[in-house]
Amino acid sequence: MPALDETPASLFQIFSPGIALIFDMDGVVIDSMPLHELAWRKYLESQGVSDHNLLARMHGRRNDDIVLDFLGPSADLRSVQEHGAAKERLYRQLMRDQLEQQLVPGIRPFLQATSG
């Protein structure tokens, strides 16, 4: 079987016209984890907070949970939201320059072939 990048577009024409496809972006369309990790490392460094065991502490968790883990449970809600938003701004800035490199292999031809 050919790799997805080499698969003829005709093989993707199994979808009926008018069918909508819904994707979870993270891990399906883009491999975002490396840039989330980098954004957290840079952000924590800018705050003078150790990024010890970062991957284990961030895996499968939302930003507010990660912020609380690093700042402690006494952090107020507004501070938690501000830190999470600041990290997300950094992530988006990093992703803006690297989006093409973060695409999951084969996703571009798949999307093009299935977009009718």
Side-chain angles (χ1 to χ4, degrees):
M1 175 172 234
L4 191 55
D5 285 334
E6 301 166 1
T7 302
S10 62
L11 291 182
F12 294 124
Q13 295 174 350
I14 59 174
F15 301 105
S16 299
I19 294 292
L21 301 175
I22 300 172
F23 297 96
D24 175 343
M25 294 291 289
D26 290 339
V28 175
V29 176
I30 59 170
D31 181 9
S32 61
M33 187 55 87
L35 289 183
H36 276 295
E37 178 186 358
L38 179 60
W40 272 116
R41 288 194 191 284
K42 287 180 175 245
Y43 185 73
L44 292 170
E45 180 182 334
S46 77
Q47 299 299 304
V49 176
S50 169
D51 64 4
H52 175 72
N53 207 17
L54 175 64
L55 284 178
R57 294 170 83 177
M58 67 181 271
H59 185 73
R61 299 174 76 195
R62 297 176 358 172
N63 279 347
D64 54 348
D65 293 330
I66 298 168
V67 170
L68 282 171
D69 188 15
F70 281 101
L71 297 184
S74 63
D76 64 276
L77 179 60
R78 183 180 175 129
S79 178
V80 168
Q81 291 172 337
E82 288 172 358
H83 284 287
K87 178 269 172 183
E88 282 303 305
R89 284 190 299 275
L90 179 56
Y91 166 77
R92 288 185 182 104
Q93 178 185 354
L94 293 168
M95 183 58 81
R96 187 175 324 131
D97 297 333
Q98 297 186 35
L99 180 61
E100 285 296 319
Q101 297 91 324
Q102 300 306 122
L103 290 175
V104 169
I107 195 64
R108 182 174 295 287
F110 175 78
L111 293 174
Q112 289 170 335
T114 57
S115 66

